[in-house]
Amino acid sequence: DADVTQTPRNRITKTGKRIMLECSQTKGHDRMYWYRQDPGLGLRLIYYSFDVKDINKGEISDGYSVSRQAQAKFSLSLESAIPNQTALYFCATGVGDGGRMTDTQYFGPGTRLTVL
Amino acid sequence: GQQLNQSPQSMFIQEGEDVSMNCTSSSIFNTWLWYKQDPGEGPVLLIALYKAGELTSNGRLTAQFGITRKDSFLNISASIPSDVGIYFCAGREGNAGGTSYGKLTFGQGTILTVHP
């Protein structure tokens, strides 16, 4: 079984709809991240959470919200989807051990979201 | 915000050729990471670098942390068809305990195509 899972893998929705993307992990990591990937722009950080009670905005948080329901679950919501939110979304986990491993992030398989 | 430029954007090579790609940042990084993304998958960590001047290998892959701490390169020797994918560099700017600790900035990616 995959260590980091994302659901759904693909989603097509319409402008104005509310969408939730789910991420679950079995790695036991305390840190979780949401990124979006656009062609030619690499991966950009939307939100990150260092533990269940800690939520932080990334560089492109506008139009998104998150919920850390448990250590293993981190969901991303688009309250009112718009076409320029069409992208590939990745969840990642990491270890907050204060050492070198803190820099390593493990990615899920991605969710392809299309907003019409 | 942090700027991280990765080049080239794409490469088309013959099987057996060597490949070189690099990343430069607008400020000093304390960690450089190189990831590979296969089609339909999330990025997977290839090599991690933690010290200026560090040269690290992983099979046919070699990466170096630049002396100025503002750049890194990745070399792939004797490429094979399964090397196809998108390669991302990523860096961490902050130190332990800082606000950017545990957050990565990603390059735009290098798309590698290997012709048999």
Side-chain angles (χ1 to χ4, degrees), chain B residues 75-112:
Chain B
N75 286 342
I76 305 173
S77 63
S79 59
I80 59 178
S82 63
D83 289 335
V84 164
I86 305 176
Y87 291 80
F88 290 101
C89 62
R92 175 178 62 79
E93 184 179 4
N95 292 314
T99 56
S100 63
Y101 196 63
K103 288 164 50 180
L104 299 177
T105 299
F106 283 82
Q108 304 97 322
T110 295
I111 302 171
L112 179 63

Side-chain angles (χ1 to χ4, degrees), chain B residues 62-84:
Chain B
T62 301
Q64 184 159 29
F65 193 140
I67 292 294
T68 64
R69 296 168 68 189
K70 292 185 177 182
D71 63 325
S72 177
F73 72 75
L74 174 71
N75 286 342
I76 305 173
S77 63
S79 59
I80 59 178
S82 63
D83 289 335
V84 164

Side-chain angles (χ1 to χ4, degrees), chain A residues 68-81:
Chain A
R68 185 82 182 265
Q69 301 94 324
Q71 186 200 37
K73 295 185 182 296
F74 192 36
S75 60
L76 175 72
S77 293
L78 287 67
E79 297 300 326
S80 180

Side-chain angles (χ1 to χ4, degrees), chain A residues 11-115:
Chain A
R11 181 72 184 268
I12 300 173
T13 190
K14 293 183 179 180
T15 297
K17 294 291 187 181
R18 184 178 187 275
I19 297 296
M20 179 180 287
L21 309 183
E22 310 266 7
C23 177
S24 296
Q25 52 119 343
T26 58
K27 300 184 77 68
H29 290 169
D30 51 355
R31 300 183 173 202
M32 298 187 75
Y33 307 79
W34 274 105
Y35 292 88
R36 67 176 277 175
Q37 183 180 19
D38 299 278
L41 294 178
L43 290 151
R44 294 182 292 167
L45 184 63
I46 306 172
Y47 269 95
Y48 62 102
S49 169
F50 283 178
D51 66 42
V52 175
K53 297 180 181 180
D54 177 77
I55 303 290
N56 303 281
K57 292 182 178 181
E59 59 180 303
I60 54 163
S61 59
D62 288 348
Y64 302 95
S65 62
V66 291
S67 174
R68 185 82 182 265
Q69 301 94 324
Q71 186 200 37
K73 295 185 182 296
F74 192 36
S75 60
L76 175 72
S77 293
L78 287 67
E79 297 300 326
S80 180
I82 56 177
N84 75 2
Q85 290 179 312
T86 293
L88 193 53
Y89 289 84
F90 286 101
C91 173
T93 72
V95 178
D97 65 355
R100 289 183 169 187
M101 285 303 296
T102 298
D103 294 313
T104 302
Q105 294 181 16
Y106 302 86
F107 287 82
T111 295
R112 184 168 295 281
L113 177 66
T114 302
V115 183

